[in-house]
Each structure stands twice: as C-alpha cells, then as structure tokens.
Amino acid sequence: MTSITNMLIHSVIIVLSFVLTFFCVKDAQADNRLRVLTWEGYVTQEDVGKVNALLKKQGYKYRVEIVSPYAQGADQMFDLIRAKQCDITFLTLFFIKMQKEKTAKLIQAINIKSPRLTNYAHLYPNLIELDMGMNSKNQPLYIPWGGGIYGFYINRNKVIEEQVPQSVNALWLDKWKHKFSLNKSQEWYNLGLALMKQNLSPFSLYQALQEEDRQRVRQISDPKGQLQQELSSLYSAAGDFWETAPKFHPDLLIVSSWGPDIYAENAKGANWQLIDFKEGHMAWLDTINFVKGLEGRKLEAAEIFANYFISKQVQTRVSRELSMVPASKLAPANTMLGDAMSILKENMFVPPYDHSSYEIMKKMTDKASKDAKQDVSQESASH
C-alpha cells in the first residue's frame, strides 16, 4: 500500500509540475507580448516583422501582437483598454476626452524627449500639443500618426473644372440634388455642414454646450428652427447614405468619403478629385497612445514601435496607400489632399463630444432622416 501511495503522490507531483510549468511558460509568453489595438490596414504583417526585428536587434524580448477584433469605434476601444486587452492603441484624437475623459484616464503621458522617439522631431508642429490630447499637466497623451477629412470628391470624368462647386452651399442646390452622398454612421459631420452653410463653426452646438449658453443651444436645436430645416433639406437632397464605406453609384457625381476608398477607386481608373470647399474641411487625426501601466523595458519597446510608425517609410505609406495625411514632414504630401499644415486646421478638428451633444445631434439627424423619407414618399406619390 505504501508503495502504491508513494507512486500516486509522485504522479500527482509530476502532473502539478507539468501544469505549473505550462502556466509559467504561458505567462512568460503573455508578458512578452506587445499588444496593439489598431484600425484595419494601419499595421501590416510586414510592419510587425520589421518592428519585431528591431526589438530583437536591440535586445528586447517583446513581440508585437495585433489585437482582434480591429478598432471599431470609441466605446469598443475604451472597453478593450479598460479590460487591459492592449498596450498600444491608435485612438482617434477626439476619442481621448469623450464622455468625461473616460479614455484619457486609462492612457499615459508620452515622454516626447525619449531617446527612442527620434522621429518625433519631424512631426508637423500643428499636430502636436493639441488641447484635446493633453492631460491636466499639459503633457501629450498621444503621438500624431495620420489624419484625414470628411471630404467630398467629384467625378472629374463627368464634371468639367468650371462646374466644380466652391462652397458647401452647393449641396443644397437643385443642380446637385440626389447627385451626392452623405455618411450615415457619424452624422454629426452632416450637422456640421448645415452649420457651415450658415457661416458658423461646424462645432457650434458643442461650443455652446461647453459655454453653457442655453439660449444658443435652444436656438440651434429648435426642431422648427432654421438649422433643422437646412439639415432636413440636406438629407432630402442626398442621393445615398453609407455606413462604413461610400458606394460609387453611376448617378452620383459627388461622393463623401474619409479618403482611402477614393484612392482605391482611382487606382481602378476613376478620377474622383477633392472639392476644396472655401469653408474648409472637418478633420480628424488618428494617434498612437500608451495604455497606463507600461513601464520599464516594455515601455521602451512601445516607444520603439511608435518611432517606427512615425518614420519616413511608414508615413509614406500613410500618404500613398491609405490616402491619408501623414503626420511626418519627412513623408511626401498626399497628392490629393495636400500636407498637414494646409488641410488639417486646429479649429476644424472634431471635438470630444459629450453625452449631451450626442443626444441633441441624434434628435436632429433622426428628424432629418424622417423628413427626408417623407419627402421621398411624397415625390413617389406625385409621380
């Protein structure tokens, strides 16, 4: 009996040793991961290989791992950061301080003087130290990576230069009725267009709420007011609404887009060109961020990753392949949009909307959609 008992104890010890070894190895592997939450297309497998090679060459044991699923929006990214599912993120700038700065509290300040961030000095000066990306100590919570605009592109194969509109006001003209598209998933951009038509900042509602100007908020959001009428007219005039990517229907002469889709379409032989509205363009900036808790060698590895992604090589891809505006002066300017100094204006960056802003904007855009559907029904009935 004693020998059998000893054999059982010995077997249990072997099994426990195996289990402990398995989990120790697994934990060690997990600790060696540098997990990156990014938008699809931003970080390629070639990039991963090159950063891993850089880390290995410099004596770091960390390896880049892309988080699945890809980034999809502010709330989803916040949830993944809060659940400690990532170390590095590619947050859109205005996500950082949205909803009472909840995401800002989960990411840490960037040491822009780090000897591993040598490419930081080559970033466009108008993209660094933007207020909505700074913490209370005036330290940046982001590294600029690449930006873009809510742009409107015209089919130059069908429209001659003399007929290209110069102002957002053109979207309300009969000439372009049902000939342009609008984005459906981020409708505050469309409200911005209606405000721009009135020669106001596209973010006037947000600014009024921040200033606690209740009379101004009521005036802007009045369901029977001029702005609501303009917004409803815009929705009625649109020929198409898109969720994630614009469609290129034959009847559309003007297509709204974030940019990359235009590059892909032109690569097929199309000729969509940006309309340079005199009012400017509502802009966005995607950034690189470090999640709180990164320190020591792992933080250094994250800085090496970030430095690679603001290098001339990657920033050139941002410009040429993603049809975005690169953050680095070393990269060639986007041929369609121009460089960051000319296209990404500080007063045109989308602000960190709060809950109150979203509630009001949703009511207004929902009403505009409803009014547009009624107009379509009436037009169909009259025919």
Side-chain angles (χ1 to χ4, degrees):
M1 285 292 290
T2 304
S3 60
I4 293 173
T5 302
N6 287 339
M7 287 175 64
L8 287 171
I9 292 172
H10 183 65
S11 298
V12 169
I13 290 172
I14 291 173
V15 171
L16 286 173
S17 297
F18 174 79
V19 171
L20 287 171
T21 301
F22 173 79
F23 281 108
C24 285
V25 169
K26 192 172 182 181
D27 287 344
Q29 290 173 341
D31 289 340
N32 287 340
R33 293 179 301 167
L34 196 60
R35 301 163 301 168
V36 180
L37 175 58
T38 177
W39 301 90
E40 187 173 4
Y42 282 15
V43 181
T44 67
Q45 284 305 311
E46 182 182 1
D47 291 328
V48 171
K50 288 186 176 181
V51 175
N52 285 341
L54 278 174
L55 292 172
K56 184 177 181 180
K57 184 178 180 180
Q58 296 181 45
Y60 293 86
K61 295 181 180 179
Y62 299 98
R63 292 183 62 80
V64 174
E65 179 181 288
I66 305 302
V67 173
S68 180
Y70 287 114
Q72 296 170 359
D75 290 335
Q76 177 247 14
M77 294 184 81
F78 168 77
D79 289 340
L80 290 172
I81 296 169
R82 183 176 57 177
K84 301 186 184 301
Q85 296 297 305
C86 53
D87 304 301
I88 300 171
T89 66
F90 278 76
L91 288 166
T92 301
L93 182 64
F94 71 91
F95 288 3
I96 294 175
K97 290 190 176 180
M98 277 176 61
Q99 299 176 25
K100 298 182 179 179
E101 303 189 17
K102 64 179 186 179
T103 301
K105 297 169 185 174
L106 301 179
I107 57 178
Q108 64 189 43
I110 306 292
N111 175 17
I112 62 175
K113 295 182 179 178
S114 166
R116 285 161 293 279
L117 290 176
T118 55
N119 289 320
Y120 193 90
H122 303 301
L123 297 174
Y124 280 99
N126 63 311
L127 300 184
I128 61 175
E129 299 184 1
L130 291 165
D131 286 344
M132 70 178 89
M134 307 296 282
N135 66 13
S136 58
K137 296 179 181 178
N138 207 35
Q139 300 167 317
L141 296 169
Y142 74 100
I143 298 172
W145 187 69
I149 59 171
Y150 182 47
F152 285 77
Y153 298 80
I154 194 159
N155 188 343
R156 289 298 307 281
N157 286 340
K158 294 183 177 180
V159 181
I160 61 174
E161 186 174 356
E162 290 74 18
Q163 294 180 341
V164 175
Q166 304 296 313
S167 168
V168 295
N169 295 353
L171 300 176
W172 279 263
L173 298 178
D174 287 341
K175 178 179 180 179
W176 303 108
K177 189 172 185 180
H178 300 160
K179 301 293 184 182
F180 67 90
S181 65
L182 295 173
N183 175 256
K184 182 74 173 173
S185 57
Q186 300 186 44
E187 291 184 295
W188 54 83
Y189 283 98
N190 302 325
L191 177 61
L193 292 170
L195 285 162
M196 289 165 74
K197 185 176 186 291
Q198 297 183 5
N199 296 317
L200 298 171
S201 162
F203 315 120
S204 295
L205 173 62
Y206 172 77
Q207 291 161 356
L209 284 164
Q210 291 296 106
E211 295 165 4
E212 298 184 356
D213 187 342
R214 295 180 182 178
Q215 182 177 350
R216 183 79 178 120
V217 171
R218 284 196 295 270
Q219 181 184 2
I220 291 173
S221 60
D222 183 355
K224 295 182 180 179
Q226 183 182 358
L227 183 65
Q228 181 64 65
Q229 291 176 23
E230 298 280 20
L231 186 62
S232 294
S233 295
L234 178 68
Y235 274 52
S236 294
D240 188 49
F241 287 87
W242 53 274
E243 294 278 354
T244 57
K247 307 177 196 78
F248 295 89
H249 298 310
D251 292 339
L252 294 176
L253 296 178
I254 298 174
V255 170
S256 58
S257 170
W258 308 126
D261 323 274
I262 300 296
Y263 176 88
E265 199 67 17
N266 284 349
K268 301 174 187 175
N271 187 19
W272 295 92
Q273 298 296 325
L274 177 70
I275 302 174
D276 192 15
F277 289 138
K278 65 180 182 181
E279 295 87 355
H281 310 275
M282 287 172 278
W284 49 271
L285 179 69
D286 281 347
T287 67
I288 299 173
N289 329 90
F290 300 152
V291 175
K292 271 190 176 175
L294 273 186
E295 57 185 6
R297 296 282 285 178
K298 193 167 188 178
L299 174 58
E300 291 178 9
E303 290 175 339
I304 291 169
F305 172 94
N307 198 55
Y308 170 82
F309 272 85
I310 55 173
S311 67
K312 181 179 180 180
Q313 176 186 354
V314 175
Q315 289 287 298
T316 297
R317 179 167 64 84
V318 169
S319 176
R320 291 179 175 169
E321 296 181 27
L322 295 178
S323 196
M324 290 169 57
V325 180
S328 174
K329 293 179 288 185
L330 297 180
N334 184 299
T335 54
M336 188 178 294
L337 300 176
D339 63 33
M341 292 293 288
S342 61
I343 196 75
L344 303 180
K345 305 291 188 181
E346 182 172 3
N347 67 324
M348 294 297 280
F349 277 114
V350 177
Y353 290 122
D354 54 17
H355 181 71
S356 298
S357 303
Y358 276 117
E359 285 295 300
I360 295 172
M361 290 189 295
K362 181 166 174 32
K363 284 182 180 179
M364 296 185 72
T365 54
D366 281 353
K367 177 170 171 50
S369 295
K370 183 179 179 181
D371 291 346
K373 288 177 183 176
Q374 288 178 347
D375 286 348
V376 170
S377 298
Q378 289 172 2
E379 285 182 15
S380 298
S382 63
H383 285 88

